[in-house]
Amino acid sequence: MTTIEGSVALVTGGSRGIGRALVTALYERGAKKVYATARDPRTVTHPDAVPLALEVSDPASVAAAAEQAQDVTLLINNAGASVNASFLDAPVEDVRREFETNFFGPLLVTRAFVPVIERNGGGHILNVHSVLSWLGVAGSYSASKAALWSQTNSLRLDLRPRGIEVTGLHVGYVDTDMTAKIDAPKVTPESVAAQALDGIEAGAFEVLADDLTRQVKAGLAADLSTLYPQLAA
């Protein structure tokens, strides 16, 4: 089991939304140090966080961050993009851009920090997915999050023998600036962060952070028309 108290964490996309809530929650639970990354580290506002510049899709930026944060024991891959490119109409480059951030970004960061976490005696990785990992209704976004879910499942098997546990966090609508124009029930970033850290400390394989996510996950065993009612029309 992973203990938050005394840990050294790194949160990608740590300047806003779920990432900012995770930074706050980590300190509230006794983390010794939290690196909060952002493209522009000046946007990190937590007074105790260590701001760190990071573009997750840039190998050089990832390598530089790993070089600066050699004491990390807990990695949270939270940074993401929401392009939602149509597979039929959008430029293919838009689809690639989504995958660069949502799939290859966490992969690059994980590969850079696994040796760090190993040298520090083992630890934990949390990958932030989405309920749309299981629903193909948002084009490139859904596909990139589904691919990240698969990546997480593979890494969990690869890293457990190396003393690193892996948790996947799935969320639906969270009350952040990304969903400001969506009229639907939302959970707070603070609730998501609390559930995520509970899951890490419990050694959970997955955390389903709201009713919508739990409902969709339960529907995966049913006929496809359960998740896609338009197929039954």
Side-chain angles (χ1 to χ4, degrees):
M1 301 297 179
T2 299
T3 302
I4 302 297
E5 187 173 3
S7 66
V8 177
L10 184 142
V11 181
T12 69
S15 65
R16 61 194 182 106
I18 296 173
R20 181 169 57 192
L22 282 163
V23 171
T24 298
L26 284 161
Y27 274 117
E28 288 174 348
R29 297 202 188 193
K32 181 168 64 175
K33 182 193 295 186
V34 182
Y35 296 96
T37 84
R39 290 189 179 98
D40 181 356
R42 294 172 297 181
T43 61
V44 174
T45 57
H46 194 285
D48 298 319
V50 180
L52 193 59
L54 178 62
E55 169 50 67
V56 298
S57 62
D58 179 358
S61 178
V62 172
E67 183 63 31
Q68 292 180 67
Q70 286 287 303
D71 48 353
V72 166
T73 58
L74 169 58
L75 169 64
I76 298 181
N77 285 310
N78 165 72
S82 181
V83 179
N84 299 342
S86 165
F87 288 131
L88 294 179
D89 302 323
V92 171
E93 284 307 310
D94 287 353
V95 178
R96 292 186 194 277
R97 179 159 52 93
E98 188 105 80
F99 270 80
E100 286 294 337
T101 301
N102 292 348
F103 178 81
F104 290 107
L107 179 60
L108 288 173
V109 175
T110 296
R111 287 165 65 109
F113 277 95
V114 160
V116 173
I117 296 172
E118 270 194 301
R119 284 195 300 270
N120 292 327
H124 212 107
I125 296 173
L126 174 79
N127 283 344
V128 179
H129 304 152
S130 167
V131 67
L132 296 178
S133 305
W134 304 316
L135 281 175
V137 296
S140 59
Y141 183 81
S142 291
S144 66
K145 288 296 188 177
L148 178 59
W149 178 43
S150 183
Q151 179 191 137
T152 299
N153 289 336
S154 296
L155 288 171
R156 187 178 296 115
L157 301 175
D158 293 339
L159 293 178
R160 199 170 203 191
R162 299 169 68 170
I164 301 174
E165 300 294 324
V166 179
T167 298
L169 170 65
H170 294 263
V171 296
Y173 295 119
V174 184
D175 191 10
T176 65
D177 55 356
M178 187 178 291
T179 64
K181 297 181 179 180
I182 297 175
D183 183 17
K186 301 171 188 176
V187 294
T188 65
E190 292 75 20
S191 169
V192 173
Q195 292 178 74
L197 298 191
D198 286 346
I200 289 171
E201 294 197 305
F205 298 139
E206 290 189 326
V207 174
L208 312 183
D210 53 55
D211 290 340
L212 174 62
T213 302
R214 289 185 282 270
Q215 177 185 343
V216 171
K217 178 68 183 293
L220 291 178
D223 186 82
L224 278 178
S225 60
T226 301
L227 294 180
Y228 304 98
Q230 57 269 48
L231 296 178

